[in-house]
Amino acid sequence: MMMIHYGACYYPEHWTGEQAKSHIPLMQKAGFNVVRMGEFAWSKFEPEPGRYRFEWLDPVIKALHEAGIATVLGTPTCVPPPWVIYKYPHILQVDREGRTRHPGSRCHACKNAPEFRFLSEQITQTLARHYAEVEGVIGWQTDNEFGCHNTTRCYCGQCEKAFRDWLVKKYGDVSAVNEAWGTAFWSSEYRQWHEISVPRKMPTGCNPGHWLDFARFSSDTAVQFHKTQYGLLKSICPKHFVTHNFMGRFPEVDYYALSEYVDFAAWDNYPDAAGDAMETAYAHEITRSFKGRYWVMEEKSGPTGDADSGLLGEQPEPGEIRRWAWQSVANGADGICYFRWRACLTGAEQYWHGILDHDGVPRRRYAEVRKTGEELRAVATALDGTVIKAPVAVLRSFDILWSLERQPGAPGFSYDQHCFDLYRAVRRSGHNCDIVQAAADFSRYKVVLAPSLTLVDEDLATRLDAFVQGGGTLVLTPQSGTRTPTNAMTDKTLPGLLAELVGIAVEEVRPYFHGQTHQIQFRQGSLDGQTCAVSVWIELLRCTTAQPLAEYVDGAAQSRPAITCNSRGKGSVYYLGVFLARDVLERFIAGLLPEFAVKDIPDGVEVSQRRGPQGRLVFLINHTRERKSLTLPGQYPELLSGETVGPKIAISANGVLVLKA
Ligand code: GLA
């Protein structure tokens, strides 16, 4: 039977035996079957160089095991203890401005420092050997949130050397670097490898090729660091899984590359109660898309309490913890660990609450966690073997995230936010949506949305063409095909290598800095006759083989196509030379997607589906603080209440329905 792993992040090192007496019985009562521990405990595991201690943790693992609670261990490499820094002060990271990232909090060590790598491997290996056969231990999380606190990119001398080595491997010859980056610009031609530096703070913007390769190298640094731990853990503990806790939409580490070395992905979910719940759904589906399976390794269970700002976050309203947990499961999560079990008395995160407050007294948040656990167990059989199968994908590329991070082009433009806007439009129609990389197999989808697909090579252009010719629907948006994989601008008429596929030429692009707007009008399709305002950035298109779908109706752009559709083979390509307002985008995208059974989903209600051999589970979650009504296509058993509901249903504030379809 399917078992949702359900538990919390637990820090026995924070508690005396007396304080911790009630912990395990309370966890048991809450229905926990897993905890994560140890990821910050290097100084406990190795208080002095080479002297290892396990007696502080082993009895806890044993007691948990006896209570039916398994253990996931973190490798503690995110915080090397003071003795490491004292011995090897040069392993500290350096920021872009040349300032040392000092010890005393966490994430301060440079992953390219040989001594730090050696010590990290040693502690990982030692822990793996000690715990390989310990009953109760089921898996590992490497390190913690690679890149957290802005530490993906380190600008120290060790990184400079490693960057050069990385470039040697990639280009072989320094002249190839000159060519790729176009160093003839501003007299930057390199004669020797050692003339190349990391892109520290400069008087003005650095070479985009240099920047992109540094962003790739920095991401690779984290991937290689993780891969080493993954290799050690898998070889010493073959029975255990290995994962890492990602940070949702975090843009600096290529999680697709990292996911090659995890058994399943995981992420840390701290939703903003008043924010757009689709933002949380986006992060869930990003994480799910890496491996199909994932856990929420840290699920918010109390007020946050940022170590940096020193502010205590908002208290979750009753029902919100349950709703967030169900949203995780609805989007495909197979495991949930709340962060954290109990608020700490000391340390930088004193304000960061968990299920229990500082006094360890179970109150309403504990009761809600317990109730949610009961509900999850009640639907375990129905969840068995179910996974999410999305007919639609958004292509979100890390290379493009990095390229557009430096050069967004349009004022205020965020590539990730644009990806999210398209994603949101898909979810509003009821469909789940995969978030894929450029190397993905597009043939799995009916519709692929590839927002601002700037970096394009022949291979990608050919695969997208094959997808369309085979019957797929492709949607492209401004700035498509503008660049090569080295971050150079293409010398072809835009959209560059995609021009034939899209059937247009982009004649002119116009970023707007003073709030200028244009009106466009749809001339065909589901929005025929509708007008809407566009701003920020527009492109004036000329159709070669495509048909205009919408045109500008005012200004110098008047009568020029703004949105086009090109039929190609059995499929179609849509090109948006504009950014559509959210409501228009939603209706436009809905017109391209397969029919969805639930219509007119109210804003704030999320629909998600898990499919399995025994059928489909449809989750309906009301993320608002008001009651919402909608109409289902029929009547369905609702698994949490045991009642039959539909066709007209109401979902209470924070309500969750699980329908068997
Ligand atoms: C992150 C970290 C945790 C903790 C929480 C709360 O997600 O992984 O260690 O710091 O944030 O701050």
Side-chain angles (χ1 to χ4, degrees), residues 11 39-40 106 144-145 245 268 270 298 339 349 352:
Y11 300 90
E39 80 280 11
F40 299 120
R106 60 180 178 183
N144 190 74
E145 293 187 339
N245 55 337
D268 297 344
Y270 294 98
E298 297 179 12
F339 188 90
E349 291 192 340
W352 204 291

Side-chain angles (χ1 to χ4, degrees), residues 181-249:
W181 296 356
T183 50
F185 185 82
W186 281 354
S187 198
S188 315
E189 282 158 298
Y190 301 106
R191 296 166 312 149
Q192 309 275 350
W193 292 107
H194 61 250
E195 291 170 359
I196 302 178
S197 51
V198 290
R200 299 191 175 85
K201 183 96 179 88
M202 302 169 191
T204 185
C206 74
N207 179 310
H210 186 178
W211 165 255
L212 182 56
D213 270 340
F214 180 67
R216 286 170 171 151
F217 155 79
S218 302
S219 167
D220 241 31
T221 293
V223 173
Q224 294 309 319
F225 187 80
H226 164 85
K227 184 181 168 190
T228 302
Q229 294 197 4
Y230 174 83
L232 291 169
L233 293 167
K234 286 309 259 188
S235 67
I236 302 170
C237 310
K239 290 185 232 156
H240 297 166
F241 63 74
V242 178
T243 185
H244 176 74
N245 55 337
F246 300 160
M247 293 186 281
R249 355 175 13 164

